[in-house]
Amino acid sequence: MATFDRRAFLRTSGLAGLALGLAACGDNGTTTSSSGGGGGGGGFGSVKLQLSWKKNVEFAGEYFADTNGYFKAAGFSQVELLSGGGSGTSVESGLATGRCWAGLSAPTITAPAVLQGAPLKIVGATFQKNPFAIISLSKNPIKTAEDLAGKKIGVQDSNELVWNALLKANGLDAAQVTRVPFQSDPSMLTSGQLDGYVGFVTSGPVNLRMKGHDPAYLLLADAGLPLVAETFTVTQETIDNERDKLKAFLTAEIKGWKDAVADPAKAAELAATVYGKDQNLDVKEQTEEAKMQNELVVTDDAKANGLFTMTPELIEQNIESLAKAGLSIKAEQLFDLSILNEIYQADPSLKLS
């Protein structure tokens, strides 16, 4: 690996804007861990976790880990949740500057940083499937990648990387599809200006349904582009020198996400009334989004092996998908799942029952 030039990386970290993950816009506020339930020492002190987006239900597991005292019980005196923002507040740049100790990102954002020499690793994945999807209406559904031919699809500039990778993965020429500039306005779909758009399956279909429409969607993960998301990203130094601390942190996160999966309504309440209370979130909508995201978090492999884990097959699929996005990287350069393996070997009860 090339020597890491911190200044050069920070100058070019605009690559983080080429999102195929969840790091993008959002406010720059913070939420500091409250006392929550349970005891706990504080032997690991205070840490900062950089979120990939604004504080909504996407981070329900973190809210439960805080509220129910799992961070405290694990030995942290404080866990501060930093809201995601623009390219200047990406997880990768935050880790490079020391603004955060860990962060939630995505392979297509972390991989370019690693290829530039940043000593970072993904140590777990909350979403076993990336939430990106082609969202359409059931009266004119896009069910397969082949259905894209001849269609008008809304694609934001920030999603150009994922869009081009999807076309390549399915052998489609860009000329076969009319790409329309898009700024996340679903009315372009409902008014017939678009046949579909690239968006999040966790929110797009829910919003359309709540407005009286009947949505359809095609997950990119099911259309030749399997990638994980909301990935726990840390520095190699943390893995090497703070392994016990990282284990304690991930254990608290596992407990938090077990609670979040079990209670979508409570997850929505925490998002709308506590952690994201300044975001004007709707509890009903957040509840439905929590239910949708559970399908991305809890897969058969996650049930068998534990939350956040990745099988060797899933890791290889991610590497292949990254190559389709023009990011040639080896699995060992990007992923280290050994910490999670040790956690579950030591305490199998942490797995979903």
Side-chain angles (χ1 to χ4, degrees):
M1 179 181 294
T3 302
F4 177 49
D5 185 334
R6 186 184 304 269
R7 291 183 179 178
F9 167 67
L10 291 173
R11 285 197 300 271
T12 59
S13 61
L15 282 167
L18 296 174
L20 181 57
L22 307 177
C25 301
D27 66 344
N28 292 320
T30 64
T31 292
T32 301
S33 170
S34 57
S35 59
F44 293 126
S46 173
V47 297
K48 294 181 179 181
L49 174 67
Q50 174 76 52
L51 306 179
S52 61
W53 190 245
K54 61 187 177 182
K55 296 187 183 75
N56 58 22
V57 80
E58 286 175 22
F59 311 105
E62 283 70 41
Y63 306 154
F64 274 101
D66 178 26
T67 298
N68 290 348
Y70 300 141
F71 287 137
K72 291 280 188 177
F76 293 93
S77 59
Q78 175 179 301
V79 172
E80 189 173 353
L81 306 180
L82 308 178
S83 287
S87 60
T89 56
S90 72
V91 164
E92 289 71 17
S93 64
L95 289 167
T97 60
R99 186 179 65 246
C100 60
W101 176 74
L104 293 168
S105 190
T108 47
I109 302 174
T110 306
V114 172
L115 290 171
Q116 290 180 34
L120 306 176
K121 285 283 174 61
I122 290 171
V123 295
T126 309
F127 286 7
Q128 300 291 292
K129 290 185 175 183
N130 196 292
F132 268 113
I134 301 296
I135 298 166
S136 59
L137 296 177
S138 59
K139 62 183 180 182
N140 181 29
I142 296 172
K143 297 180 178 180
T144 68
E146 289 72 24
D147 291 342
L148 290 169
K151 297 293 198 303
K152 294 176 292 183
I153 306 297
V155 183
Q156 295 186 58
D157 289 343
S158 60
N159 294 334
E160 183 175 5
L161 186 66
V162 60
W163 175 247
N164 290 335
L166 176 67
L167 295 178
K168 184 174 181 180
N170 290 280
L172 290 170
D173 190 286
Q176 293 179 264
V177 190
T178 301
R179 176 181 168 179
V180 179
F182 182 65
Q183 296 297 329
S184 71
D185 180 7
S187 68
M188 292 183 69
L189 174 65
T190 57
S191 65
Q193 298 175 65
L194 298 174
D195 296 304
Y197 69 87
V198 177
F200 287 168
V201 73
T202 48
S203 56
V206 171
N207 292 333
L208 287 168
R209 211 172 281 121
M210 292 186 72
K211 293 177 180 178
H213 302 285
D214 187 12
Y217 61 85
L218 170 65
L219 273 175
L220 270 56
D222 296 330
L225 204 65
L227 282 162
V228 293
E230 295 296 9
T231 43
F232 290 97
T233 305
V234 298
T235 65
Q236 185 63 49
E237 182 180 6
T238 292
I239 295 173
D240 294 340
N241 300 328
E242 297 182 295
R243 198 172 186 89
D244 288 343
K245 183 175 178 179
L246 184 55
K247 283 184 182 180
F249 176 78
L250 288 173
T251 298
E253 285 276 3
I254 290 167
K255 292 177 179 178
W257 270 102
K258 285 180 70 174
D259 289 354
V261 166
D263 196 347
K266 180 64 175 179
E269 181 185 338
L270 287 174
T273 67
V274 182
Y275 296 90
K277 61 184 178 182
D278 60 340
Q279 298 296 321
N280 297 316
L281 301 172
D282 181 86
V283 174
K284 182 179 178 181
E285 180 183 7
Q286 291 289 287
T287 301
E288 294 306 308
E289 290 191 20
K291 293 176 182 178
M292 288 289 288
Q293 75 182 16
N294 279 354
E295 297 180 17
L296 307 179
V297 173
V298 182
T299 61
D300 288 341
D301 286 337
K303 290 178 182 177
N305 304 314
L307 294 174
F308 310 159
T309 58
M310 294 178 66
T311 64
E313 293 77 16
L314 182 56
I315 290 175
E316 185 56 35
Q317 288 171 1
N318 273 255
I319 294 300
E320 292 173 357
S321 293
L322 289 170
K324 292 169 184 173
L327 299 169
S328 179
I329 193 169
K330 296 179 180 179
E332 58 268 25
Q333 290 178 275
L334 187 60
F335 297 103
D336 185 348
L337 277 294
S338 64
I339 299 93
L340 278 175
N341 292 339
E342 291 172 14
I343 289 172
Y344 284 113
Q345 286 174 5
D347 188 358
S349 70
L350 288 169
K351 295 182 180 180
L352 294 166
S353 56

